Amino acid sequence: MKILRTVKDLRLWRSTHKTLGMVPTMGALHAGHLDLVSQSLKNNSATLLSVFVNPSQFAPHEDLDKYPRTFDEDVAKFRARAIEIWGAQAVENTDGLAVFCPKVEEIYPSGIDLRVSHQKGTFVEVLGVSHQLEGKIRPQFFRGVATVVTKLLNAAQPTRAYFGQKDVQQTVVVRQMVRDLLMPVEIVVCPTAREPNGLALSSRNVYLSEEEKEKMSVIYKALHRAQQRAQQALNENKSLSSSEVVNGVMELLATEDAIIDEVEYVSLNHPDDFAEVDEISKGTILSLAVKLSNGVRLIDNVVI
Ligand code: AMP
């Protein structure tokens, strides 16, 4: 398995492979990331995992410095998953597995200041899908994501790039960006991996105690119950308003108001342009974000 630290080395390695699957991550890998890795391993002759904690998607007050970094374990998990899918012999003999873990200077040659007003150089903004929900709470987040994904895709030029449904608005932003900038890559979105109790896996779950994780299973319970109710209404050709669905979710979340400090949003949006919808239809995205009393934010979503 190759460990690539520069764009130059990445391009050299890339040039020897016909099809490439890429899994962009910020590391601290969990089973959700590894599901994306599995999909890539199954469908491409070479797979690149990128591990880069991208400064430009963090606001100055956010957790960039304390974001979990577990590089050696990440490489070991990638390797173990490759052995599971390809077999030990194939993994020993291949040149088709690599981890790209550049330094910040490699990705931001002009430097990067977390204060947007102080930034210099080129940034990518995807208008229309970046300002609502996550973009409202974290105004520089999608600008940072779109910028780094552009840089990573330009550097690696993968055939396919794999993203998680867990960050549904991010998938809408990336798809739109790839379409608008005529990028020759197929975006593949994989289902959300969850704890047995339903809590969506996230690198930031390490900030939660076991008790908090158990209590936060209420998030998926609320989403799942709303999803079933909405599907039943659709099956029976009954109309169901967004506000009825939102109220149902809020009611269940309120049962854990001792540790949920704030429900930042519960929203129903169109899957293509992420516009808010008043009436539910098939494919509508129900998503939410909560802030816990210990400061941790959790997001999750289901598709109706
Ligand atoms: P991150 O390292 O958090 O930036 O995530 C890297 C990729 O993994 C993104 O495409 C995420 O959407 C995806 N991902 C994160 N958590 C999950 C999950 N629980 N299930 C599936 N994909 C996930």
Side-chain angles (χ1 to χ4, degrees):
M1 178 166 300
K2 285 248 159 52
I3 306 292
L4 306 165
R5 297 185 190 277
T6 64
V7 172
K8 188 171 169 225
D9 286 349
L10 169 60
R11 291 213 163 116
L12 204 62
W13 174 79
R14 168 66 183 105
S15 66
T16 60
H17 295 283
K18 198 156 179 269
T19 61
L20 173 66
M22 178 174 194
V23 182
T25 77
M26 298 209 298
L29 297 195
H30 52 64
H33 297 117
L34 293 169
D35 282 354
L36 310 190
V37 166
S38 293
Q39 283 308 312
S40 177
L41 290 166
K42 285 177 188 162
N43 293 309
N44 302 278
S45 55
T47 286
L48 175 70
L49 171 75
S50 68
V51 175
F52 180 66
V53 182
N54 173 39
S56 71
Q57 69 194 62
F58 290 79
H61 66 274
E62 291 180 344
D63 59 344
L64 173 62
D65 292 336
K66 74 173 184 106
Y67 194 84
R69 288 163 169 87
T70 58
F71 185 68
D72 293 343
E73 284 107 306
D74 293 346
V75 174
K77 285 179 185 173
F78 178 32
R79 192 181 159 75
R81 183 54 61 98
I83 289 173
E84 245 173 68
I85 308 266
W86 282 5
Q89 192 76 38
V91 169
E92 273 324 303
N93 296 335
T94 187
D95 182 50
L97 295 173
V99 181
F100 180 48
C101 51
K103 288 211 171 103
V104 171
E105 306 82 81
E106 189 71 15
I107 299 296
Y108 293 96
S110 317
I112 181 73
D113 193 310
L114 301 195
R115 296 164 301 177
V116 170
S117 58
H118 288 60
Q119 288 174 351
K120 295 194 175 86
T122 306
F123 293 85
V124 180
E125 285 188 48
V126 188
L127 304 179
V129 290
S130 298
H131 63 282
Q132 57 278 68
L133 307 186
E134 282 304 290
K136 203 167 190 174
I137 311 279
R138 306 179 71 191
Q140 67 196 75
F141 178 68
F142 288 120
R143 179 175 183 271
V145 168
T147 301
V148 81
V149 173
T150 299
K151 287 167 180 270
L152 293 171
L153 295 178
N154 279 345
Q157 310 211 346
T159 320
R160 301 184 184 89
Y162 294 80
F163 292 86
Q165 174 71 23
K166 155 86 180 0
D167 299 283
V168 60
Q169 194 176 358
Q170 173 169 287
T171 66
V172 173
V173 168
V174 169
R175 276 191 199 285
Q176 178 78 45
M177 178 186 86
V178 161
R179 232 185 354 254
D180 289 345
L181 297 182
L182 315 178
M183 292 172 152
V185 59
E186 180 190 338
I187 301 300
V188 183
V189 176
C190 303
T192 302
R194 301 179 178 282
E195 299 272 8
N197 72 9
L199 178 67
L201 298 183
S202 161
S203 302
R204 288 189 171 97
N205 287 0
V206 296
Y207 303 149
L208 301 179
S209 68
E210 285 309 312
E211 190 191 348
E212 284 167 333
K213 279 196 215 165
E214 200 45 49
K215 292 198 157 156
M216 284 308 95
S217 62
V218 72
I219 292 175
Y220 184 61
K221 268 194 207 106
L223 290 174
H224 186 62
R225 196 176 72 169
Q227 184 188 38
Q228 288 192 317
R229 183 176 168 207
Q231 273 163 358
Q232 190 178 345
L234 288 179
N235 290 344
E236 293 168 3
N237 276 329
K238 288 187 184 146
S239 69
L240 182 63
S241 72
S242 293
S243 55
E244 284 173 273
V245 174
V246 169
N247 290 342
V249 171
M250 293 294 273
E251 240 170 56
L252 247 186
L253 292 179
T255 61
E256 291 299 348
D257 64 357
I259 67 166
I260 296 179
D261 198 34
E262 186 189 350
V263 179
E264 291 181 332
Y265 62 81
V266 177
S267 186
L268 286 135
N269 296 72
H270 193 278
D272 296 335
D273 58 6
F274 238 62
E276 257 183 59
V277 297
D278 295 330
E279 286 276 318
I280 311 295
S281 56
K282 194 172 169 353
T284 300
I285 308 287
L286 168 60
S287 59
L288 65 76
V290 299
K291 193 162 184 185
L292 307 191
S293 44
N294 61 11
V296 176
R297 289 185 78 239
L298 299 175
I299 62 171
D300 201 351
N301 69 87
V302 291
V303 184
I304 306 297

